[in-house]
Amino acid sequence: MSALSTFAGRVCGVDEAGRGPLAGPVVAAAVILDPARPIAGLNDSKKLSARKREALALTIREQALAWAVAEASVEEIDRLNILHASLLAMQRAVAALQILPERALIDGNRCPQLAVPAEAVVQGDAKVAAIAAASILAKTVRDAGMLALHARYPQYGFDRHMGYPTAAHRAALAEHGVSPVHRKSFAPVARQLALLP
């Protein structure tokens, strides 16, 4: 794979994790990398092992000029829809940065409303180092949150599928019903609720 693009100046990469799951929040991260301290091994978080993601997340937190993680709740997802909740989480992450970026590069094809110029980069997590770093932080924070939810709702197996609509998750939904952390606006959950008397 070719090297990821890096940029001079205070450019923040922004990405989210958790648009597809049936449960849990959507998490976004914003990262401004330090051009003087490049981080080896950055890549789209989905292409990295969990162990590699965790190691890189530590390095990003230590070496980035600034980073922040934010989320939109299950209630906000159900109220706004998942796209707008994802954009809201991104907005919150950028606003939480300790350093104001000069511009933001957003993974995907839509930009949240920000106080700085923003540009959408399709498949940015595989092209831009700062977006890859954001994808790693978002994914590791969300996975940790889903493990915490697993401790509260072990019957759903969140530790295995992180809330994604696997066959095992759908079977658990059918057997145990809908938990408070399920997204009621998502079709498989809504169908389960429709079966209630």
Side-chain angles (χ1 to χ4, degrees):
M1 181 181 151
S2 59
L4 301 185
S5 300
T6 55
F7 296 85
R10 296 192 309 277
V11 176
C12 83
V14 185
D15 199 4
E16 51 70 31
R19 278 181 64 160
L22 305 179
V26 61
V27 175
V31 178
I32 304 174
L33 291 175
D34 184 348
R37 303 177 81 190
I39 298 171
L42 290 176
N43 200 347
D44 172 0
S45 64
K46 295 183 288 296
K47 296 175 181 170
L48 299 168
S49 68
R51 181 178 294 180
K52 184 67 173 165
R53 280 196 300 266
E54 290 293 342
L56 280 167
L58 278 175
T59 305
I60 292 161
R61 291 167 191 264
E62 289 167 0
Q63 297 189 12
L65 287 177
W67 60 270
V69 179
E71 66 179 44
S73 67
V74 169
E75 293 75 18
E76 288 169 324
I77 292 167
D78 285 338
R79 190 173 77 246
L80 300 172
N81 78 33
I82 186 60
L83 170 63
H84 288 99
S86 298
L87 295 173
L88 176 61
M90 290 179 174
Q91 206 174 43
R92 287 171 173 163
V94 174
L97 286 168
Q98 296 298 304
I99 298 172
L100 184 70
E102 292 162 4
R103 63 186 178 118
L105 299 175
I106 316 293
D107 183 60
N109 58 8
R110 296 282 294 271
C111 291
Q113 288 284 317
L114 299 174
V116 297
E119 178 187 341
V121 183
V122 174
Q123 295 182 329
D125 47 9
K127 298 174 182 174
V128 177
I131 297 178
S135 84
I136 290 165
L137 285 192
K139 172 74 172 152
T140 52
V141 168
R142 188 177 190 282
D143 283 358
M146 292 309 294
L147 291 177
L149 289 180
H150 173 72
R152 287 167 55 194
Y153 306 100
Q155 65 271 36
Y156 296 101
F158 292 145
D159 61 328
R160 296 189 302 280
H161 51 65
M162 301 298 166
Y164 281 89
T166 62
H169 190 184
R170 289 168 184 262
L173 258 179
E175 182 179 352
H176 302 291
V178 175
S179 79
V181 297
H182 277 96
R183 301 172 180 180
K184 297 170 181 62
S185 56
F186 278 45
V189 183
R191 280 197 297 271
Q192 196 62 40
L193 287 170
L195 297 175
L196 293 173

